[in-house]
Amino acid sequence: LPGPPFTHQQMPRKMVYYGQTSCEQDTERYLDVVKYVFSCYKKEVPLVINTMGWVKGDGLMLLIDLIRLLSPSHIVQMDIYDWKAMTPLTPEHVHFSAGLHTKGKQQSKCKQLGEDSMESWQYPEGEDMSAPQHKLLYIHPEFPQAGVAGEVRVHSSILRDMSILGYLGHLQSPDIGTVLPLHSLVPYQVPFNAVALRIIHTDVAPSNIMYAVNASWVGLCCIPEEVRSQTDGPVLLTQTPLCDCLGFGIVRGVDMEKKLYHILTPVPPENLRLVNCLLLGNIAIPHCVLVGQQGIEGEIPYVTSDYNYSI
């Protein structure tokens, strides 16, 4: 685990493409994703859960939900130097605190009396998540600047770009010094009717879907349903599926005449055969990939300098 994430990338055992850098817009789907991925854990090895740093307001309540859902044996809580950031997450505190989608012990009594008619997010039947029994390991750092969030925000976007660049590096030849620009690589051709398409993070009119997908980062996913289409046009999903993600790619181009997506991806062919769904999220291709294309004369593809920020 030491070192920046892009230095030790590995193919996960189970992965879902959430499509956003923050779960704030759809916390319910975030919890569904956590449940789906956690269902793969067979308890044959210890599991370390790296929670996110959003621990204020709704983020703290969501963390309470995760603790109830995952029932960890130990919680390591790191405070911020010279400032008490949050209450220690003792079993008692978690037991009585309200989560974002779950109720604490006191709130559940009110619901039994009929004072709260709101439906809450339910755990699997037969599982009692209301009384956590974890051991809390509380760490209070003694050095200045520990836990300061400002610098982390600056670095997180850079680290995300580095992770994407590291992933795209698998497209390159192993020979040192022969780095090819993306427009020099041969893409896969994928018929429109062979894969379903869904934009996760926002609503896009069907007439504009292809503009959104072109030159975008996509999750290459596998939905259990067979993709069927009466036409050769794109297959558009009306809801975001909860499904396995097998890797990522770039839609390098869209051929509207031949009804083909052109996709660059390092995912091996044996896994690509399982892909039948493309999910487009709010994750951007690093600017340097588009701006730094070698061998381009004149206007750079997919890049415009004539942009009006007031629109």
Side-chain angles (χ1 to χ4, degrees):
L1 293 181
F6 67 88
T7 62
H8 50 83
Q9 293 181 346
Q10 296 184 34
M11 186 63 190
R13 184 179 300 186
K14 197 172 189 69
M15 173 169 60
V16 172
Y17 185 46
Y18 185 76
Q20 300 192 75
T21 58
S22 170
C23 65
E24 195 170 356
Q25 288 188 358
D26 194 349
T27 55
E28 194 165 349
R29 178 169 174 262
Y30 176 77
L31 286 175
D32 287 338
V33 166
V34 171
K35 282 198 296 181
Y36 182 80
V37 174
F38 187 64
S39 66
C40 178
Y41 176 51
K42 304 302 182 186
K43 300 185 179 181
E44 69 274 22
V45 293
L47 177 67
V48 178
I49 301 167
N50 181 19
T51 59
M52 46 188 179
W54 183 26
V55 292
K56 293 182 180 179
D58 288 351
L60 177 57
M61 297 174 72
L62 186 61
L63 182 59
I64 298 291
D65 289 334
L66 288 175
I67 294 172
R68 289 201 179 108
L69 172 64
L70 303 174
S71 298
S73 60
H74 294 73
I75 292 179
V76 180
Q77 181 176 347
M78 291 170 282
D79 209 341
I80 293 179
Y81 174 79
D82 203 25
W83 185 61
K84 197 168 184 61
M86 54 190 287
T87 305
L89 294 171
T90 61
E92 295 76 22
H93 179 73
V94 174
H95 187 42
F96 289 106
S97 296
L100 199 59
H101 296 278
T102 60
K103 304 292 184 182
K105 185 178 180 182
Q106 293 169 316
Q107 286 81 4
S108 63
K109 288 182 178 178
C110 295
K111 184 169 183 179
Q112 290 172 4
L113 296 173
E115 293 178 20
D116 186 354
S117 60
M118 291 181 63
E119 292 185 5
S120 63
W121 186 66
Q122 298 294 319
Y123 290 111
E125 290 185 9
E127 294 189 40
D128 180 17
M129 301 290 188
S130 60
Q133 300 294 327
H134 61 263
K135 180 179 179 64
L136 177 64
L137 306 175
Y138 191 86
I139 299 173
H140 184 77
E142 296 295 338
F143 53 96
Q145 301 300 311
V148 176
E151 295 183 15
V152 174
R153 276 194 213 101
V154 174
H155 291 136
S156 60
S157 61
I158 296 174
L159 288 173
R160 279 195 296 271
D161 282 356
M162 293 294 286
S163 292
I164 291 176
L165 292 172
Y167 187 82
L168 292 176
H170 295 292
L171 288 167
Q172 300 292 333
S173 167
D175 298 332
I176 298 176
T178 56
V179 177
L180 296 174
L182 290 187
H183 61 77
S184 297
L185 302 172
V186 180
Y188 290 96
Q189 293 183 340
V190 183
F192 282 0
N193 59 6
V195 291
L197 186 63
R198 173 68 178 171
I199 296 181
I200 299 172
H201 61 289
T202 189
D203 293 325
V204 177
S207 58
N208 291 333
I209 288 283
M210 290 306 177
Y211 292 112
V213 172
N214 194 23
S216 290
W217 182 260
V218 291
L220 307 177
C221 303
C222 176
I223 55 177
E225 302 84 17
E226 185 179 348
V227 176
R228 295 179 179 176
S229 177
Q230 303 296 330
T231 67
D232 57 358
V235 181
L236 304 180
L237 298 176
T238 56
Q239 291 184 319
T240 302
L242 188 60
C243 59
D244 289 1
C245 179
L246 304 179
F248 303 96
I250 291 178
V251 179
R252 210 198 78 172
V254 178
D255 190 332
M256 295 301 294
E257 292 183 0
K258 297 181 180 178
K259 309 291 185 183
L260 295 171
Y261 302 109
H262 291 180
I263 299 177
L264 289 170
T265 177
V267 175
E270 59 268 22
N271 291 349
L272 285 179
R273 293 189 186 97
L274 304 173
V275 173
N276 61 358
C277 177
L278 303 179
L279 295 184
L280 171 63
N282 194 21
I283 307 298
I285 300 171
H287 290 174
C288 61
V289 172
L290 300 175
V291 177
Q293 298 179 72
Q294 303 169 17
I296 298 292
E297 296 181 4
E299 188 175 353
I300 303 175
Y302 308 119
V303 176
T304 178
S305 56
D306 183 18
Y307 188 83
N308 189 344
Y309 282 92
S310 65
I311 297 177

